[in-house]
């Protein structure tokens, strides 16, 4: 799962994980099948699968999780959201997911569905991520063989939750997630290492102990950069924006270079690993890992020297 990274003369360890989303067309599903073989061959800690607003991708997300479990070596992690779902419905989804052998979850409240906002009842009355952590634990406990396996992750916002009033409110909410049983956090996208490092330092000072994985995405296009800026709640770095503009809107190598620089700063600052948003492509995220010193084997070329019993 981990790899040796040479940083100067000091050997260190870099760990990583990936996020993918269910394909929307048959052609995209074929491409995704190919991409996840490459992603899995790199040896991630896990591959997480997103969940559409109000369970809109429920079946497709579970299909993809099942595919990862049975056709790759990667550990699948299910995003799960509460918006638009009753507690009973959520219990059903958690049970179905666990019964499919997927035991790791990212517990989320979820984005407001299209056409709704935070103040609409469907969103405002939803169970929170803290409620969902407890619900996942209860379903796990109903299955004695599973009660000690599987982990639950939560979302973290280096630049504050969109509704956040202050950093201290963000940290209080993060500590509530930890208190409810979260095993680790994964961050929203951001552009500057300091945004992650200062949040983690402030939260640690107030009692945060769980690992926080920084979420990074090597953007390929200007459009993706604008989307990331809106999620990050911060303007995009001017140099990256200008570079993409000058290249006519598409320049994967610029996104890779920016992500590599950010990852180096984060790892040097103590980040336990990096979580890469893949946008369902393997090329850019694997280029990032190669720049960080990680080998990224081709799944079509089996490692002939590996002992047979080393395979999972
Ligand atoms: P919760 O922790 O449950 O918070 C819910 C509510 O609590 C908020 O709406 C707000 O009212 C309040 N609140 C929380 N923090 C604060 C604060 N600091 N100050 C004031 N009020 C606060 N969405 C999807 O639909 N599907 C996905 O697959 C998905 N994957 C994601 C993966 C990651 C790594 C991240 C970071 C986000 C993801 N999201 C996804 C988006 C996420 O669902 C939204 O950001 C959602 O608005 C909040 O989810 P949460 O779990 O953080 O909410």
């Amino acid at each position: 799962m981990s790899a040796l990274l040479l940083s100067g003369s000091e050997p260190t360890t870099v760990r990583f994980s990936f996020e993918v989303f269910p394909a929307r067309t048959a052609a995209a599903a074929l491409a995704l099948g190919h991409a996840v073989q490459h992603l899995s061959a790199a040896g991630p800690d896990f591959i997480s699968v997103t969940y559409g607003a109000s369970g809109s991708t429920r079946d497709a997300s579970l299909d993809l999780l099942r595919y990862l479990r049975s056709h790759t070596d990667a550990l699948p992690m299910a995003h799960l959201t509460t918006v638009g779902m009753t507690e009973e419905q959520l219990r059903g989804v958690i049970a179905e997911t666990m019964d499919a052998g997927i035991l790791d979850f990212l517990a989320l409240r979820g984005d407001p569905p299209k056409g709704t906002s935070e103040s609409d009842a469907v969103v405002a009355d939803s169970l929170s991520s803290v409620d969902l952590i407890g619900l996942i634990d209860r379903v796990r406990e109903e299955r004695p063989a599973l009660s000690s396996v599987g982990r639950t992750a939560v979302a973290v916002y280096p630049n504050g939750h969109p509704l956040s009033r202050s950093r201290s409110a963000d940290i209080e909410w993060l500590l509530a997630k930890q208190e409810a049983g979260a095993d680790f956090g994964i961050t929203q996208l951001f552009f500057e290492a300091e945004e992650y490092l200062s949040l983690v330092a402030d939260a640690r000072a107030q009692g945060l102990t769980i690992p926080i994985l920084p979420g990074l995405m090597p953007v390929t296009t200007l459009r993706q950069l604008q989307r990331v800026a809106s999620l990050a709640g911060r303007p995009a770095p001017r140099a990256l924006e200008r570079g993409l503009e000058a290249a006519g809107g598409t320049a994967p190598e610029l996104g890779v270079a920016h992500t590599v620089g950010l990852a180096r700063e984060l790892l040097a600052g103590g980040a336990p690993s990096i979580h890469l948003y893949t946008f369902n492509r393997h090329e850019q995220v694997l280029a990032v890992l190669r720049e960080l010193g990680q080998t990224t084997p081709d799944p079509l070329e089996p490692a002939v020297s590996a002992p047979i019993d080393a395979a999972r």
Side-chain angles (χ1 to χ4, degrees), residues 19 48-54 79-83 106-112 118 123-124 126-131 154-158 160-174 177 185-189 215 231 275 277:
E19 178 191 287
S48 76
V49 174
T50 64
Y51 196 78
S54 300
H79 294 208
L80 189 55
T81 66
T82 65
V83 170
L106 174 56
L108 299 151
R109 197 283 312 270
D111 286 324
E118 291 282 347
V123 184
S126 302
L127 295 182
S128 72
S129 61
V130 167
D131 300 320
V154 289
V156 179
Y157 302 86
H161 184 276
L163 293 184
S164 169
R165 296 172 309 281
S166 62
R167 167 153 287 188
S168 65
D170 277 322
I171 292 177
E172 255 174 53
W173 191 243
L174 179 53
K177 292 180 179 186
I186 305 178
T187 76
Q188 184 54 278
L189 293 161
L231 287 169
H275 183 66
Y277 291 78

Side-chain angles (χ1 to χ4, degrees), residues 23-289:
R24 294 186 189 97
T25 63
L30 280 177
L32 179 57
H34 176 72
V36 296
Q37 291 302 333
H38 284 269
L39 296 172
S40 164
D45 286 345
F46 60 87
I47 299 182
S48 76
V49 174
T50 64
Y51 196 78
S54 300
S56 56
T57 65
R58 174 182 170 158
D59 293 342
S61 293
L62 191 53
D63 279 352
L64 178 52
L65 288 158
R66 284 196 175 107
Y67 179 87
L68 288 171
R69 187 166 184 275
S70 47
H71 296 285
T72 76
D73 287 335
L75 180 75
M77 169 180 282
H79 294 208
L80 189 55
T81 66
T82 65
V83 170
M85 311 259 286
T86 63
E87 186 170 326
E88 220 28 60
Q89 287 170 327
L90 282 166
R91 267 183 179 279
V93 178
I94 299 165
E96 189 182 7
T97 308
M98 286 186 184
D99 293 344
I102 290 104
L103 309 173
D104 293 76
F105 291 87
L106 174 56
L108 299 151
R109 197 283 312 270
D111 286 324
K114 243 196 174 99
T116 68
S117 70
E118 291 282 347
S119 54
D120 286 312
V122 65
V123 184
D125 297 347
S126 302
L127 295 182
S128 72
S129 61
V130 167
D131 300 320
L132 183 56
I133 296 166
L135 203 51
I136 292 168
D137 273 352
R138 290 199 289 285
V139 178
R140 224 191 278 285
E141 277 156 18
E142 286 162 9
R143 290 161 171 70
L146 304 183
S147 59
S148 61
V149 284
R151 294 170 304 165
T152 303
V154 289
V156 179
Y157 302 86
N159 292 312
H161 184 276
L163 293 184
S164 169
R165 296 172 309 281
S166 62
R167 167 153 287 188
S168 65
D170 277 322
I171 292 177
E172 255 174 53
W173 191 243
L174 179 53
L175 291 174
K177 292 180 179 186
Q178 172 176 279
E179 180 68 19
D183 294 298
F184 64 97
I186 305 178
T187 76
Q188 184 54 278
L189 293 161
F190 60 95
F191 292 117
E192 305 288 338
E194 189 50 29
E195 294 163 355
Y196 164 94
L197 295 172
S198 69
L199 172 73
V200 173
D202 291 353
R204 294 259 178 264
Q206 292 184 47
L208 183 81
T209 54
I210 58 174
I212 305 297
L213 281 47
L216 308 178
M217 179 168 145
V219 296
T220 300
T221 64
L222 201 52
R223 222 171 132 216
Q224 279 180 355
L225 184 66
Q226 284 152 0
R227 170 83 183 127
V228 174
S230 118
L231 287 169
R234 285 284 188 277
R238 266 313 280 151
L240 182 53
E241 195 170 42
R242 276 203 212 104
L244 282 162
E245 278 164 3
T250 304
E253 66 284 4
L254 296 182
V256 168
H258 180 266
T259 305
V260 169
L262 191 49
R264 286 204 173 111
E265 278 187 71
L266 292 163
L267 293 165
S273 70
I274 52 172
H275 183 66
L276 292 160
Y277 291 78
T278 68
F279 215 70
N280 285 4
R281 301 292 301 249
H282 61 280
E283 297 88 343
Q284 283 78 37
V285 293
L286 296 188
V288 168
L289 293 174

